[in-house]
Amino acid sequence: MHLTRGVRIQLTIFALVAVIAAAVMSLGYMRLPALLFGVGHYTVTVRLPATGGLYESSNVTYRGVEVGRVTEVRLTDTGIAAALSLRSDVPIPSDLEAEVHSQSAVGEQYVELIPRSGAAPPLKNGDVIPESRASVPPDINQLLDQTNRGLKAIPQNNLRTVVDESSIALSGLGPDLARLVKGSTALAIDARKNLDAITALIDGAKPVLDSQADTSESISTWADSLADVTGQLKTNDDSVRGVLQRAGPAADAGRQLLDRFQPSLPVLLANLVSIGNLALVYHPSLEQLLVLVPTGASWGVALAVPNLNTNLAYKGLWEAFNLNLNLPPPCTTGFLPASQQRSPSMVDAPARPAEDLYCRVPQDSPFNVRGLRNTPCIRKPGKRAPTAKMCNSDEQYVPLNDGYAWKGDPNATYSGQNIPQSRPDVPPSTSWPNPPLPPISAVPYDPATGTYTGPDGRVHTQADLAQPTKEKSWQDMLLPPKNP
């Protein structure tokens, strides 16, 4: 049979199209290489207590996406073993559960793989999902049988009444029910399209929900408090409105006040920062002071009560000024040696010595018991030290001597410490222990008038210079002079 050139071209094109269609059908739709040779797939076995209607070529899904098929369902000594052929390009965690579900009302079953942890290693060829992590749906026959028995248990008259009342209740709601069903269907379709995001949302919601469950009491307390606050706001609505209406002018007045304080307020606040830091460190002491001061004040008031309404000479508080001079004597240990001390009459201000000057006797010595050496260390309770550096370190206070070194230099040390010295650039006082006396001069004195001319050239009068002086006691020395 002679074929024309045009017919041959058509037959060739038809053959190519047929071959391409067969290849697409075999590779893309039927996936013959995967079914016949397992190319691009691996096999996992699932052990089930029953088939649950599962059959060969059933779909296998992971997070709602088809990832393989059931290639074999066989009976074992302990139950059912189903072989799953899964795609190699989809990593599936090995820590998962396998559940058999119905995809439609006619009993089209499929296997759904539900991961329990995304950190587990992926499944590999030959893995077995145990029966403890697999489940099948309830038997439909048993379900229908139980439903039928449940319906038979309902009295017919009552069931007829339920049907009649349901008909009356739903009468005329056909469009609304149709709209409800249509909306639910659209919602389900959209949810299936966004299944990955919904799954991630559900997985991420568990920690949030757990925290809400754990803090349910706190949330309930917060809700009650919020209800109280809103109730108070509702009760005091007029006052709240007044506050809101006057808040603007009050804010403007406050701003103007701050503008007036602009030169001094920043300096004050900057100073308060250092005071605040100091108060933060000395918080325990301040708190104790606030506790003791009211008690001490109440004691002072109580001490003024005795003998208040009596005829006694002394009522309430009274004081006796006993001159206990030098009891105890002043502490000189720890200060500059006597040869380097300056006279109080000098008015210059040289640089202070480099060392810290304070009473360096034992802390339990009777000399200067409230001296610097007994300062409590706030950050180390129970420790006393004269300086903040010593307080904050592990160094312990060591005295120079016992305070009774009355012979020689009071800074004579028993501990080997360096005694305080004046700065080398400041010469010691040459007028110790007293300033130099003015030069002595003799002037003529007139006993009759009591006048004399002093070295300054001025005439002075003192009538008792020529009279015999009366011996004075030490008590007279403490009294002011009498006017002649």
Side-chain angles (χ1 to χ4, degrees), residues 476-482:
D476 296 332
M477 298 175 62
L478 297 178
L479 298 175
K482 298 181 180 179

Side-chain angles (χ1 to χ4, degrees), residues 343-359:
S343 171
S345 64
M346 303 186 69
V347 295
D348 57 342
R352 66 183 304 275
E355 295 84 1
D356 294 321
L357 302 179
Y358 53 87
C359 181

Side-chain angles (χ1 to χ4, degrees), residues 173-186:
L173 298 178
D176 297 332
L177 293 177
R179 187 164 56 254
L180 177 62
V181 173
K182 184 177 179 180
S184 301
T185 303

Side-chain angles (χ1 to χ4, degrees), residues 371-395:
L372 190 64
R373 69 186 187 282
N374 284 323
T375 304
C377 297
I378 299 300
R379 296 182 178 177
K380 294 186 177 181
K383 181 180 179 181
R384 295 177 297 161
T387 61
K389 179 180 179 182
M390 188 179 297
C391 266
N392 297 329
S393 66
D394 296 333
E395 181 183 359

Side-chain angles (χ1 to χ4, degrees), residues 27-84:
L27 299 178
Y29 182 75
M30 300 179 64
R31 300 178 181 176
L32 292 180
L35 295 177
L36 298 178
F37 309 106
V39 177
H41 285 68
Y42 62 94
T43 303
V44 174
T45 302
V46 179
R47 298 193 179 277
L48 301 170
T51 59
L54 194 66
Y55 53 90
E56 293 185 8
S57 73
S58 298
N59 291 335
V60 180
T61 63
Y62 170 67
R63 295 185 182 271
V65 179
E66 182 181 347
V67 294
R69 290 183 177 274
V70 178
T71 58
E72 182 184 7
V73 179
R74 66 179 185 276
L75 183 66
T76 63
D77 296 337
T78 58
I80 301 298
L84 311 181

Side-chain angles (χ1 to χ4, degrees), residues 207-477:
V208 178
L209 297 178
D210 291 341
S211 64
Q212 298 298 313
D214 295 338
T215 59
S216 59
E217 295 182 359
S218 301
I219 295 175
S220 178
T221 303
W222 177 81
D224 294 340
S225 302
L226 182 61
D228 293 339
V229 172
T230 53
Q232 292 291 334
L233 291 177
K234 182 179 180 181
T235 305
N236 301 278
D237 181 70
D238 295 338
S239 301
V240 174
R241 289 176 181 272
V243 170
L244 295 178
Q245 291 173 357
R246 296 179 178 86
D252 293 338
R255 180 180 56 79
Q256 294 175 5
L257 179 62
L258 292 178
D259 291 341
R260 293 176 60 188
F261 288 158
Q262 184 65 30
S264 57
L265 184 60
V267 178
L268 175 61
L269 295 179
N271 295 333
L272 289 178
V273 170
S274 58
I275 296 176
N277 295 332
L278 187 63
L280 183 63
V281 175
Y282 285 89
H283 172 265
S285 299
L286 295 176
E287 184 176 356
Q288 186 69 10
L289 185 63
L290 294 177
V291 173
L292 295 180
V293 165
T295 304
S298 64
W299 289 351
V301 175
L303 292 176
V305 173
N307 303 328
L308 184 62
N309 298 321
T310 63
N311 295 325
L312 298 178
Y314 301 104
K315 297 180 180 181
L317 297 176
W318 58 278
E319 178 64 40
F321 292 93
N322 297 324
L323 300 178
N324 296 325
L325 302 178
N326 291 331
L327 290 177
C331 176
T332 56
T333 300
F335 299 94
L336 291 177
S339 61
Q340 299 181 8
Q341 294 179 8
R342 295 169 52 80
S343 171
S345 64
M346 303 186 69
V347 295
D348 57 342
R352 66 183 304 275
E355 295 84 1
D356 294 321
L357 302 179
Y358 53 87
C359 181
R360 296 195 184 187
V361 296
Q363 291 178 327
D364 56 354
S365 173
F367 296 95
N368 196 14
V369 293
R370 295 185 180 87
L372 190 64
R373 69 186 187 282
N374 284 323
T375 304
C377 297
I378 299 300
R379 296 182 178 177
K380 294 186 177 181
K383 181 180 179 181
R384 295 177 297 161
T387 61
K389 179 180 179 182
M390 188 179 297
C391 266
N392 297 329
S393 66
D394 296 333
E395 181 183 359
Q396 297 296 327
Y397 172 75
V398 179
L400 284 175
N401 57 46
D402 55 6
Y404 292 96
W406 57 274
K407 291 185 178 180
D409 192 343
N411 281 332
T413 174
Y414 303 151
S415 59
Q417 301 180 67
N418 295 327
I419 61 176
Q421 299 291 332
S422 61
R423 295 176 62 93
D425 55 344
V426 179
S429 173
T430 58
S431 59
W432 182 88
N434 295 313
L437 299 175
I440 299 176
S441 60
V443 294
Y445 174 73
D446 185 358
T449 60
T451 59
Y452 65 91
T453 302
D456 55 356
R458 299 175 61 184
V459 177
H460 301 273
T461 301
Q462 188 169 355
D464 61 347
L465 290 180
Q467 297 177 0
T469 59
K470 184 178 68 172
E471 184 178 356
K472 295 181 179 181
S473 63
W474 67 270
Q475 292 91 344
D476 296 332
M477 298 175 62

